[in-house]
Amino acid sequence: MSTNVLPTYDDVVSRYEPVIGLETHVELGTVTKMFCGCPTDFGAEPNTQVCPVCLGLPGSLPVANRAAIEATIRIGLALNCSIATWCRFARKNYFYPDMPKNYQISQYDEPLCVDGYLDVEVDGELVRIGIERVHLEEDTGKTLHVGGATGRIHGATESLVDYNRAGIPLVEIVTKPVPGLGARAPEIAKAYVAELRDVIRTLGVSDVRMEQGSMRCDVNTSLNLPGAEWGTRTETKNVNSLRSVERSVRTEMLRQAMVLDGGGTITQETRHFHEDTGDTTSGRSKETATDYRYFPEPDLVPLAPEPVWVEQLKAALPELPRQHRARLKTEWNLSDLDMQSILNAGAVELIERTVAAGASPEAARKWWLGELSRRANADGVELEAVGATPEQVAKLQVLVASGKLTDKLARQVLEGVLAGEGDPEQIMAARGLEVVSDTGALTAAIDEAIAANPEVAEKIRGGNQAAAGVLIGAVMKTTKGQADAKTVRELVLARLAS
Amino acid sequence: MSDLIKLSAAALGEKIAAGEVSAEEVTRAHLDRIAEVDGRVHAFLHVDDEGAVQAARAVDAQRAAGDKLGPLAGVPIAIKDVIATKGIPSTAASKILEGWRPPYDATVMTRIRDAGMVMLGKTNMDEFAMGSSTEYSAYGPTFNPWDLTRIPGGSGGGSAASLAAYEAPLAIGTDTGGSIRQPGAVTGTVGAKPTYGGTSRYGLIAFSSSLDTPGPCARTVLDAALLHQVIAGHDPRDSTSIPLPVPDVVAAARQGASGDLTGVRVGLVKEFSGEGAEPGVMAVFRDTVEALTKLGAEVVEVSCPHFQYALPAYYLIAPSECSSNLARFDSVRFGLRVGDDGRNSLEEVMSLTREAGFGEEVKRRIILGTFALSSGYYDAYYGQAQKVRTLITRDFTAAFEKVDVLVSPTTPFTAFELGARTADPYQMYLADLYTIPTNLYGGPGISVPAGLSDGLPVGLQVMAPTMADDRMYRIAAAVESTVGTFAPPAL
Ligand SMILES: [Zn+2]
């Protein structure tokens, strides 16, 4: 490798073609674990949600969780897969302390769901991502290595294992390799994961929270010269946010191009993605990878989902995100462009909830794409984490619609909401921001203004309504801007009409 | 020596229920016997005197309170050490589990306790049930009460020997390739392997998941049937357990004891015609078949052409599954830990622990199984063995269209001397030549004492279709009614 110069992205995509593939793990939100009756709650004290089965104690046996099988089939159906009429679990054998049995019950050559697709909309264009398989397995425990410099097992003085997660049902969704995306590969990878997340959330089978690890992505990337065979791929592990999915593909494309440009070859390996730097570093090489010695799990009987049952599950699937969005677009009377900007902002659900809480679609959209998007951008957070709930936004809008707040005052109230001062009504009251609509107080202010500006009043009496601006300005000053200018104007004109 | 120890379990159960003897007396009689002879027999790895007496007293209290007792309430039982028993050491005769006390009971154990039976202790076995002589126990061998220089069979040699030595009237064994039946044969006791899935594996420390089957060991066929009835039946904790009613094996045993086998078709396996078997064993076998004919059975020869591949197929399937099942013994969560001195890495500690904790035969099978499952070899070994298994199942299915049961000697040879077959694993494996096909098929098999050869017991094996366990009990009871039971010389 003679050069170590990172090429520019435009340069890379002008000379190479990327092929990507994604393996996504989703922890199912079942009440109990995959093969035992232990609860699956997140955040419990370590090793309190365990039993002989999920600890792999000698003599214990697994019993498959029907709810998890049902959830997996529903995911498969939502991804347009064929559902196996007969399949088996398999043992994946490898030694690691967070694996209680030193094998993982998974599926190998007989997955529950195969050969589907997910259509992903990017900039108004549909991209079809092929789904190779959807299978069911058990999660491992979590290991904490203490005392080493790296936090990895090597060099650690102590390794602590929490088996609460061990045995939680995990669905793995594997795409077919996706070639031909060109420069858009990183963006489409992100859009695919986002769409998949929305689909699974809609199905209600997982909370799909990437930050809590209930959805985790491994991203495969390779580069090839146009017309040439696909290149050697690397697998970037544990990419745990939508933004990182996009960045990791991009980073890996740049890195591989640099290696190839320098005359080097790509090693088939797993790589770790670092959220802080956006870099990937080499993990374990696949050439020396473990032979997992898969074989059918003899402790479990084969799965044979009844076709009638599968048909029932299919018929009962909820409206999926893409259909849902199409319906909203019509209901909200939006143009393609408007809908696209809502999608790009990740605001569909937020707006929907705001509308459900009483705001008009138009107003809800204005708040989320306007003030709140600006604020989220400025703070560098996702829109949903901006600090205001759809319910609060709806309340705010109700106050505007009823005339209690002007747009300008409403923005001040929103400031308070984002600062965590409470609900809009409370903030309006606490900050004294309500529109002055008490006619008595306004009349006094108007009389005062007229008395202070007799010559202006005279002009208005003479028919020069444009002169009213001066008096309105004086009233607004007296009321510290809390009067509605339109109301003041009407009152001034009425007062000087006779 | 109390006469109580010579009684059958059925008789003990009746006497206890009738108040002729207390469960505590019966238990103490057996504990005394263990104290007296187990130093020479070494059937037990752990004796739970205190727990046994407590359990017996509980039964006596129930009786005193007027509760109706089950047929085996208060009857003592020995449990093979491969069965998890709550709070009681369960080592599978391995160093790697030394001192491990499970936090839970195996389903079989739960049912035994629910029946009011009294556990005396845990019996010796080949480590992780891998062996045919109990010489592979990490805690030293068990000696055959018929001749203390000879092996009691294996892997369940401790359970069988405890019966022959009158230390217990009943015992639990597990049968993966013959580990209940072969020890039964060489100790002159009864050992039954139920249909796979007929008894729960939950709590059985796994050797080979698709083959392991817990079952009863006894001195009489009826006793075995009574215990079978207690432990059998669907268990939701074991996915491979069969959700069907248990065949009425007790009624079948009583029916067979009448000695009438009119209309029963008995098949002799042509391929088990005696090649490699001791002449004395074959002589007893022929006499027994003759006796069956006299009881009215119709005896025909059937061919099971694939049985000859059973042994090699078994020695691929069982080690493959064991290589995976035994991976959990890594020092992380339970059992032995070696080399955890702060200098060795986690992998090194795992490796040192397994090196020190597993015996030679266990390591041999783990290595064999690891190889057989390896990528590139899977199809040729594990995959091929599964095909053979299918063919053997077809042989059984075809045979059972012609006959009601199949019979054979249980094992080709009588109890051999300690050390005679440990040098050559294959010679040891041959002990299970006749029992293994049944495991691969999944059907039930029973060994019943059929006679003596040079003063040593010979067993007859009766094999039946899956979930027709009652059939084999009927035939075995009929054999017993004709040839009688066999008692070893006084210890
Ligand atoms: Zn559990």
Side-chain angles (χ1 to χ4, degrees), chain A residues 36 38 50-51 54:
Chain A
C36 63
C38 289
V50 291
C51 73
C54 58

Side-chain angles (χ1 to χ4, degrees), chain A residues 261-290:
Chain A
D261 287 350
T265 52
I266 303 301
T267 311
Q268 188 172 344
E269 62 182 356
T270 57
R271 299 186 66 84
H272 299 288
F273 182 74
H274 303 281
E275 297 270 349
D276 45 353
T277 59
D279 286 341
T280 67
T281 53
S282 179
R284 134 175 78 87
S285 167
K286 282 268 169 156
E287 285 159 22
T288 56
T290 335

Side-chain angles (χ1 to χ4, degrees), chain B residues 402-422:
Chain B
K402 300 190 192 87
V403 297
D404 298 309
V405 294
L406 292 170
V407 294
S408 74
T410 306
T411 177
F413 28 80
T414 55
F416 47 87
E417 292 188 336
L418 273 97
R421 290 177 187 264
T422 41

Side-chain angles (χ1 to χ4, degrees), chain B residues 264-320:
Chain B
V264 176
R265 296 168 302 167
V266 172
L268 305 184
V269 181
K270 189 176 147 207
E271 287 73 16
F272 286 168
S273 57
E275 208 181 321
E278 288 175 357
V281 168
M282 289 317 290
V284 171
F285 177 62
R286 279 190 297 271
D287 289 350
T288 315
V289 171
E290 185 66 33
L292 288 171
T293 314
K294 284 188 183 139
L295 295 175
E298 180 196 337
V299 176
V300 295
E301 191 178 71
V302 293
S303 175
C304 296
H306 301 97
F307 279 20
Q308 59 178 312
Y309 305 116
L311 197 69
Y314 174 86
Y315 276 99
L316 289 167
I317 292 168
S320 294

